[in-house]
Amino acid sequence: MLVACDPVVAKPAGPNAGSALELMFENKYAAATSQLQDLIRAHPQDAKDHASYALVLNYQTKQKPALDEALKAQKLAPKDGFVLTVLTRVEDWNNDLPSAARDGAAAVKAAPNSALARAFYGEALADVGRYDEAQQQLTKGQDLAKKGSAYDRGEVERNWGNYYRDKKDYTQSLNHLKLAASAQPKWVERLLELARFSIARQDLNAATDFLKRAATLTPDDAGLREQLGDVALFAQDYSVAKAAYEAALKLQPRSALDLKMLGEFAVAVDKDSTAAAKDERAAISAEPTDDEAGAYLVAVLRYLAKDETAAMQAATQTVAPGGSSTPPAATFVDLDKAALDRQAVALDTVNRYRRLAGLTPVSSTPVVHQAALAHAFYTFFNGALPSIRDLGIHKEEASGQGYTGDNVLSRAQHFGYPQRSMAEVITHRTEPAGAVADWIDSVYHRFPLLRADLVELGYGDAYLGPMTVQVMDMSYRERATGRIIVYPAANQVSVPTAFNGNEIPDPAPNASYPIGYPVTATFDRNATVTVGGFHLRDPAGADLPGVTLLPNQPDMENSFAYMANVPLKSGSTYTADLTYTLNGKAGHTIWKFTTVLGASPTAQSQTAAAELR
């Protein structure tokens, strides 16, 4: 089955990594997890057990724990083919694409006759844009899989689907995903893949059909029911998601995750804030340190029930501290302070990037923080509304639950902020520093953060199970500075090599991602600008062809952007050369920057900046 690689430790007959993976293919994820955990306790030095556990976690979309296990396996058996094969997949799904491509090559070298190694390496190569090499690996894997397992055949087809998706041949991609499902028709993962593909293609009806079929395969596994609910959420099919979490709760009645998600459905589906508060309190009772349930409870009381006294009480007297670093005297977590602490992290991260760009630091304001926080929870409360998708996430409807204003400016004014020029950026990451990096590593989202006339900002976020949103609202005092803010900045080091898209709107809709990291120049908002020419040169002085976006184009906010057609090389120094006219005066600037030696961050899904004056 998964072997095709040297075994690490011989063990007697009985439960083993292979039998645990068979349980996974039978949709018994909880049993597979339990068996692997038992094996690891009994044989902590067995790399194959750790690698197999990483693979199960990978399919459960628990990517950080999966990477931890894969790295443990690599430490135990750094040259084992199966270990390297799993590490390749887990790194790829953790968006560490350069490492996945590197370790995929090592996996194929260690296990040249492994169809799985070829399939996972082919996936990584396609994801970094090395399509010819990816095709070679997948073709070889396809030949090997003919004599392999159903899983081998399924993964080869699945990664052909990934290859064609990366090349934007969506018809071929769908065909291969269906072939993967044919190879393993009873494994729920294959239907979930089809559902995710349909979601990405905005075919929500097809996604719902795949999800309903998946539900019939997972009657008794709570974790799979939750995973089904997660995919349904991203398909914006809240009825399927609600049913999935209800089914999971029946299998594990004290699950804090299931209870707090039912609180979300009580609001978004049933519009019942009283039931939502009850569900969140039940979740906290099951897991007293669940600050996500606590924050959602506070938001329900504050924005829906309009009971500030109850909200303040819930914020300061509900959630117990977790972790050994909490002072013993702290009986409860102050959830409002925790939200402000996360804003402080976001602010520090913004100012770190502004310092790199030669800009002065900005401050935060508690008023705009409240507006951003309220809007973050509005997106949760109204998640079932079609109007909340894509760029609609920046808007609120007066009939929506927790409404505070149509747009970023009116929401800030609702909380007492004066009328200013404002902008908003939104993303979906796991913490504030990652959110800011997401915005900086993009195109349209970078501009509002690196304006010379930015004065202050407010940041708010919300987290609940698989749901996450970060909102940053920025305030400007428009003035003429005559400055040009370039990024990456002059002499900046450790610059990412690639831009993987995932930004709305798409700044390079005809590109084959990944492409080169965006190089931008931001001018004063009201300046008159003409760009005469731009060159991005590699260390040898050769011009790199790429995508050009000019200041007068839609969404460019009087900025310039350039992305090379292919990712930049790591550990290399590039020269940017910009010729322009600013307010009638000719200018010319040249600067250099150096790319990171190792892996570069990969942007997650983003929603474009919406600016109002």
Side-chain angles (χ1 to χ4, degrees):
M1 188 189 65
L2 289 178
V3 190
C5 310
D6 296 332
V8 181
V9 177
K11 293 199 295 289
N16 55 53
S19 63
L21 293 175
E22 288 296 342
L23 288 172
M24 179 180 72
F25 298 140
E26 295 169 6
N27 304 319
K28 299 175 181 177
Y29 280 57
T33 296
S34 178
Q35 188 173 113
L36 285 165
Q37 289 172 339
D38 289 344
L39 287 168
I40 289 170
R41 278 191 290 268
H43 307 277
Q45 300 303 309
D46 191 313
K48 187 173 182 180
D49 289 344
H50 285 285
S52 298
Y53 187 29
L55 194 61
V56 173
L57 291 167
N58 171 81
Y59 286 117
Q60 290 177 303
T61 67
K62 298 176 180 178
Q63 300 308 340
K64 179 60 170 64
L67 183 59
D68 291 342
E69 288 298 323
L71 291 172
K72 289 177 185 176
Q74 184 193 32
K75 186 175 182 180
L76 291 167
K79 296 183 179 180
D80 180 76
F82 178 63
V83 167
L84 290 167
T85 295
V86 172
L87 179 62
T88 299
R89 158 54 66 82
V90 172
E91 286 173 331
D92 188 286
W93 285 24
N94 270 276
N95 291 322
D96 187 351
L97 303 182
S99 294
R102 177 199 65 212
D103 292 327
V108 166
K109 183 177 180 180
N113 295 319
S114 168
L116 198 63
R118 301 280 182 175
F120 288 175
Y121 185 32
E123 175 184 31
L125 289 170
D127 289 346
V128 296
R130 293 160 60 182
Y131 296 115
D132 290 344
E133 295 172 79
Q135 189 175 39
Q136 292 170 7
Q137 292 299 325
L138 292 171
T139 299
K140 181 63 175 177
Q142 198 163 27
D143 290 338
L144 292 167
K146 292 175 182 176
K147 297 181 180 179
S149 67
Y151 178 55
D152 289 337
R153 294 190 294 277
E155 274 302 321
V156 169
E157 294 296 348
R158 184 260 171 213
N159 288 306
W160 273 118
N162 177 76
Y163 168 86
Y164 283 112
R165 185 204 64 200
D166 285 350
K167 297 200 74 174
K168 298 190 176 182
D169 187 340
Y170 299 114
T171 300
Q172 282 278 43
S173 180
L174 179 59
N175 288 340
H176 282 282
L177 290 178
K178 288 181 176 178
L179 288 171
S182 296
Q184 293 180 284
K186 295 183 179 180
W187 189 26
V188 68
E189 173 65 20
R190 298 304 177 208
L191 291 173
L192 293 177
E193 286 171 343
L194 284 163
R196 295 185 192 106
F197 175 87
S198 300
I199 294 167
R201 300 300 302 148
Q202 300 291 306
D203 188 351
L204 300 187
N205 289 332
T208 296
D209 289 341
F210 289 128
L211 290 170
K212 288 179 178 177
R213 287 170 56 190
T216 66
L217 298 177
T218 60
D220 300 321
D221 191 296
L224 272 177
R225 285 288 182 171
E226 291 166 348
Q227 190 176 345
L228 173 61
D230 296 352
V231 177
L233 276 173
F234 293 117
Q236 221 178 8
D237 192 333
Y238 272 60
S239 60
V240 171
K242 179 183 177 183
Y245 272 99
E246 286 176 336
L249 186 63
K250 289 179 181 178
L251 295 168
Q252 46 185 22
R254 291 277 296 168
S255 167
L257 171 61
D258 299 342
L259 287 164
K260 68 185 178 185
M261 291 309 300
L262 290 180
E264 157 68 4
F265 301 131
V267 175
V269 178
D270 303 325
K271 298 185 178 181
D272 188 342
S273 61
T274 301
K278 182 179 178 181
D279 287 331
E280 299 306 324
R281 291 188 188 279
I284 297 165
S285 177
E287 179 49 73
T289 62
D290 194 331
D291 53 355
E292 291 184 355
Y296 194 90
L297 172 62
V298 172
V300 166
L301 296 171
R302 177 169 287 151
Y303 305 126
L304 300 183
K306 308 291 186 183
D307 188 340
E308 183 59 25
T309 300
M312 288 289 292
Q313 184 177 25
T316 56
Q317 301 179 31
T318 301
V319 175
S324 58
S325 62
T326 305
T331 306
F332 296 104
V333 174
D334 186 332
L335 296 170
D336 285 341
K337 181 180 181 300
L340 285 169
D341 289 344
R342 293 194 299 276
Q343 175 177 254
V345 172
L347 177 67
D348 287 346
T349 309
V350 167
N351 282 331
R352 177 166 59 84
Y353 285 112
R354 287 179 64 85
R355 282 192 294 271
L356 281 174
L359 290 164
T360 56
V362 297
S363 60
S364 62
T365 162
V367 178
V368 180
H369 163 70
Q370 281 297 325
L373 187 63
H375 185 59
F377 280 101
Y378 175 93
T379 69
F380 280 13
F381 296 154
N382 300 279
L385 295 178
S387 60
I388 207 81
R389 292 187 71 87
D390 298 333
L391 293 175
I393 199 170
H394 291 286
K395 302 175 182 178
E396 292 187 8
E397 298 178 356
S399 59
Q401 299 178 90
Y403 170 83
T404 56
D406 292 351
N407 52 55
V408 57
L409 179 56
S410 59
R411 291 192 290 271
Q413 290 176 318
H414 171 86
F415 286 94
Y417 197 68
Q419 183 168 342
R420 304 290 190 198
S421 174
M422 297 190 72
E424 179 176 84
V425 289
I426 296 177
T427 192
H428 307 277
R429 293 294 289 263
T430 58
E431 41 82 30
V436 176
D438 213 16
W439 295 320
I440 289 291
D441 291 340
S442 69
V443 179
Y444 302 125
H445 293 68
R446 178 188 295 175
F447 304 143
L449 276 66
L450 296 185
R451 281 175 54 172
D453 58 350
L454 175 61
V455 175
E456 58 188 2
L457 58 82
Y459 168 90
D461 53 20
Y463 307 89
L464 198 71
M467 302 171 64
T468 169
V469 65
Q470 296 83 35
V471 179
M472 183 171 284
D473 295 342
M474 290 152 285
S475 177
Y476 306 91
R477 308 293 186 271
E478 292 190 355
R479 56 189 174 85
T481 68
R483 296 191 61 184
I484 306 165
I485 311 304
V486 299
Y487 195 89
N491 302 315
Q492 186 173 333
V493 297
S494 297
V495 173
T497 59
F499 175 56
N500 288 281
N502 299 325
E503 187 172 16
I504 301 173
D506 187 345
N510 298 317
S512 292
Y513 287 108
I515 59 178
Y517 188 73
V519 179
T520 60
T522 297
F523 301 87
D524 288 341
R525 192 71 176 82
N526 296 315
T528 301
V529 179
T530 302
V531 171
F534 179 80
H535 300 273
L536 182 61
R537 299 187 176 99
D538 67 14
D543 276 325
L544 300 181
V547 178
T548 299
L549 298 174
L550 297 172
N552 61 350
Q553 289 180 237
D555 302 305
M556 287 302 293
E557 299 186 15
N558 222 28
S559 295
F560 168 84
Y562 189 85
M563 294 155 283
N565 288 336
V566 297
L568 307 180
K569 294 181 179 179
S570 61
S572 301
T573 299
Y574 290 83
T575 302
D577 185 329
L578 177 67
T579 303
Y580 59 90
T581 301
L582 175 59
N583 294 327
K585 184 177 180 180
H588 183 206
T589 183
I590 300 175
W591 73 102
K592 296 178 183 289
F593 61 87
T594 302
T595 54
V596 67
L597 284 172
S600 298
T602 300
Q604 300 296 310
S605 178
Q606 303 177 80
T607 309
E611 180 171 313
L612 294 163
R613 296 189 177 196

